[in-house]
Amino acid sequence: MTIDAPTLSDAQIRQLADRLDRPIVLVGMMGVGKSTVGRKLAALLGLDFRDADEEIEAAAQMSVSEIFERFGEDYFRDGERRVIARLIEGGRAVIATGGGAFMQDETRKLILERGIAVWLDSDVDTLVQRVGRKDTRPLLRGGDPREIIARLKAEREPFYAEAPIHVSSGNGPHGEAVTRILQELGRCL
Ligand code: S3P
């Protein structure tokens, strides 16, 4: 049985938004729903939403897949680091990062120091199901998506666990994850 998290009133959400002095930065595996959850969270808090992958694509005038294909992962990570630094510099906002960004020492340090990192987490089955809807992720092209996701999740978890807020989104609607993030923010701020 799932117990619905009690929702917050508009006034409570407004108070939270007023107390916020840093960007909220969503980290976690591909397919977990960082962009969808991030957009909803930003709308509720009255903040801008920024998607790091979209910003990288806009800056490079190329898709993430094309960047990986033409220039390789190291080049992508370098652009990702610069874009995330710029987004964090922008202050209050909700920022969704690509699943590998938080593995980069410099980026992780910056997010932890200057933002509020939120690890959005799901089980492997849910992630596999969600990534299956799009063929835009270069890291999944070289083999069995389930195997790659399970391996990356295991490798990355110790890093994601450094985020002060951890919310499991499971297979349920993204709105539940948004509510839980708001509650956790209430405890942190
Ligand atoms: C990656 C995740 C992707 C994107 C790139 C690499 C990763 O973002 O940044 O394909 O290393 O996990 P999403 O997490 O938004 O899919």
Side-chain angles (χ1 to χ4, degrees):
M1 185 180 73
T2 31
I3 299 166
D4 279 345
T7 42
L8 285 87
S9 67
D10 290 353
Q12 283 173 310
I13 295 175
R14 253 197 320 276
Q15 276 172 12
L16 258 183
D18 287 347
R19 296 213 298 273
L20 196 71
D21 58 354
R22 286 165 288 160
I24 297 167
V25 186
L26 300 182
V27 305
M29 283 293 292
M30 52 180 110
V32 76
K34 290 165 296 203
S35 302
T36 311
V37 168
R39 244 181 223 107
K40 284 184 202 282
L41 185 64
L44 279 171
L45 289 167
L47 297 173
D48 286 341
F49 171 72
R50 314 297 293 272
D51 183 298
D53 280 347
E54 278 176 16
E55 301 276 340
I56 295 164
E57 292 184 333
Q61 292 289 295
M62 240 180 280
S63 69
V64 168
S65 295
E66 260 178 288
I67 301 175
F68 266 75
E69 259 164 47
R70 291 176 59 179
F71 302 105
E73 181 169 350
D74 287 352
Y75 181 90
F76 171 78
R77 296 296 173 202
D78 195 45
E80 182 178 53
R81 178 182 53 75
R82 280 183 278 118
V83 163
I84 292 176
R86 169 168 58 78
L87 294 179
I88 291 198
E89 210 45 53
R92 282 158 46 92
V94 177
I95 302 170
T97 61
F102 208 57
M103 304 310 110
Q104 311 301 311
D105 290 342
E106 205 178 307
T107 299
R108 188 173 62 260
K109 188 165 178 281
L110 187 70
I111 294 173
L112 290 171
E113 280 176 6
R114 305 273 305 276
I116 302 177
V118 176
W119 171 22
L120 198 58
D121 191 16
S122 263
D123 54 87
V124 171
D125 284 343
T126 304
L127 295 175
V128 172
Q129 198 187 326
R130 291 199 182 133
V131 297
R133 293 183 198 148
K134 279 199 286 181
D135 177 31
T136 52
R137 293 177 170 101
L139 292 181
L140 297 182
R141 293 201 178 130
D144 171 39
R146 173 175 295 274
E147 186 274 319
I148 295 169
I149 285 193
R151 175 176 49 77
L152 287 177
K153 183 165 154 58
E155 280 170 14
R156 291 174 172 183
E157 263 171 5
F159 296 94
Y160 293 143
E162 290 185 38
I165 295 180
H166 178 194
V167 165
S168 291
S169 77
N171 207 0
H174 287 310
E176 285 173 15
V178 174
T179 303
R180 282 207 290 278
I181 293 173
L182 288 170
Q183 291 168 332
E184 290 296 320
L185 283 170
R187 276 188 271 276
C188 269
L189 288 171

